Amino acid sequence: MRLSAAFGILPELYLALQAGLWPTILAICHTPSLLFQPYELSHIFVSHVWKLFGDGVDGNAKATKQKLITPHAYGVVLDIGAGHGHTIKYLDYSRVTKYVAVEPNTHMHAELRRTASAAGYTEASNTLLILPCGAEHISTILSSLPTPHPPIDILISILTISGLITEVVKPGGQVLFYEHCLSNRRDVRWWQWFWTPLWRVVFGGCCLDRPAQRWIEDAGGWVSGGGVWKMDGETEMEEHLFWYRAGRFVKAG
């Protein structure tokens, strides 16, 4: 792998540190006890990083998301790692009856709520539910939703998947995902493994080296769907540290 490609990640790391470090230091000065709350410190840092990166990351994947989400999302939608709610702009309000956002970083909830409200989803109308937990807290998610269970028609994961929670998806429901994954190239994989420990800290747990597309395929229990597809113009041999894949799977009834 060319060194220019291997180290092309550095400008983004620099910008992220520039965006998040000073506000985090100010937060510590205001509340020194944060030094003993690393989880909360990470959330503060990442919330500022995402203010800088969120719109650009979303825009880069706009065409893929329009193809993946808009024609397929309906009913009750669960968005894993919702962030500022960028997924909402791809939902058809006439078809999606409820938007459930799983976002453990409470510092992102105000912007998430504003984005949802602008699209017509509100807590007052029972069309919006924001859960301050991670996707791994399946019992919390299920207990927050009405019966019958499982309650979710569409599960959406955009650059956040750490495992697959098919337990919350109805039979006949769908999983829609867009993720950066572990490369098929051995040299690229080495650099993904090299950078992931630092990238994970700066970007709140985001990993470059997860074989997310394989996790979903290997979960089994699928009856149809579009499977996994690569991005337009991308070949298996390109030197991408960010190796994107998208897909759609339908859960067996």
Side-chain angles (χ1 to χ4, degrees):
M1 186 176 185
R2 292 174 294 111
L3 288 179
S4 59
F7 286 90
I9 199 172
L10 286 176
E12 292 179 71
L13 287 169
Y14 172 77
L15 288 173
L17 289 169
Q18 192 176 48
L21 191 57
W22 183 242
T24 304
I25 291 173
L26 290 177
I28 293 171
C29 291
H30 184 265
T31 311
S33 62
L34 284 171
L35 286 171
F36 305 99
Q37 303 174 59
Y39 191 68
E40 179 64 13
L41 272 181
S42 174
H43 280 186
I44 293 170
F45 181 89
V46 171
S47 69
H48 289 281
V49 170
W50 201 238
K51 286 178 184 177
L52 176 65
F53 280 85
D55 289 342
V57 171
D58 174 63
N60 289 340
K62 181 178 179 180
T64 298
K65 291 181 183 179
Q66 287 174 330
K67 174 184 175 183
L68 175 69
I69 298 172
T70 306
H72 299 120
Y74 66 90
V76 180
V77 170
L78 176 67
D79 188 10
I80 299 175
H84 289 160
H86 287 96
T87 294
I88 294 169
K89 68 175 69 175
Y90 303 99
L91 302 179
D92 181 345
Y93 184 76
S94 67
R95 300 182 66 226
V96 175
T97 58
K98 187 165 188 169
Y99 174 72
V100 181
V102 173
E103 177 49 64
N105 192 334
T106 58
H107 297 279
M108 295 191 181
H109 286 188
E111 184 62 29
L112 171 55
R113 192 170 279 109
R114 281 192 289 269
T115 303
S117 178
Y121 298 100
T122 66
E123 287 148 321
S125 65
N126 200 34
T127 56
L128 171 67
L129 177 61
I130 300 176
L131 299 177
C133 65
E136 68 276 13
H137 297 110
I138 297 173
S139 60
T140 301
I141 296 171
L142 287 173
S143 66
S144 302
L145 293 166
T147 54
H149 290 161
I152 300 300
D153 295 295
I154 304 294
L155 186 151
I156 298 176
S157 177
I158 305 294
L159 303 178
T160 57
I161 201 164
S162 58
L164 196 59
I165 53 170
T166 56
E167 296 96 325
V168 303
V169 181
K170 292 178 180 178
Q174 300 178 49
V175 173
L176 312 176
F177 74 92
Y178 171 73
E179 301 287 344
H180 45 63
C181 305
L182 188 66
S183 175
N184 283 341
R185 283 183 50 153
R186 181 179 299 177
D187 56 343
V188 175
R189 287 199 301 270
W190 191 93
W191 284 103
Q192 287 178 315
W193 291 324
F194 176 84
W195 286 117
T196 287
L198 178 58
W199 188 265
R200 184 171 57 225
V201 171
V202 174
F203 285 90
C206 177
C207 295
L208 305 175
D209 60 350
R210 288 173 172 163
Q213 81 282 20
R214 293 180 205 149
W215 289 347
I216 297 171
E217 289 177 312
D218 293 346
W222 311 117
V223 292
S224 61
V228 177
W229 63 84
K230 60 187 178 183
M231 302 302 99
D232 293 340
E234 184 180 276
T235 69
E236 297 289 334
M237 297 307 295
E238 288 190 277
E239 297 178 321
H240 291 301
L241 284 173
F242 299 97
W243 203 69
Y244 294 102
R245 289 295 179 267
R248 179 173 71 91
F249 289 88
V250 179
K251 187 175 179 181

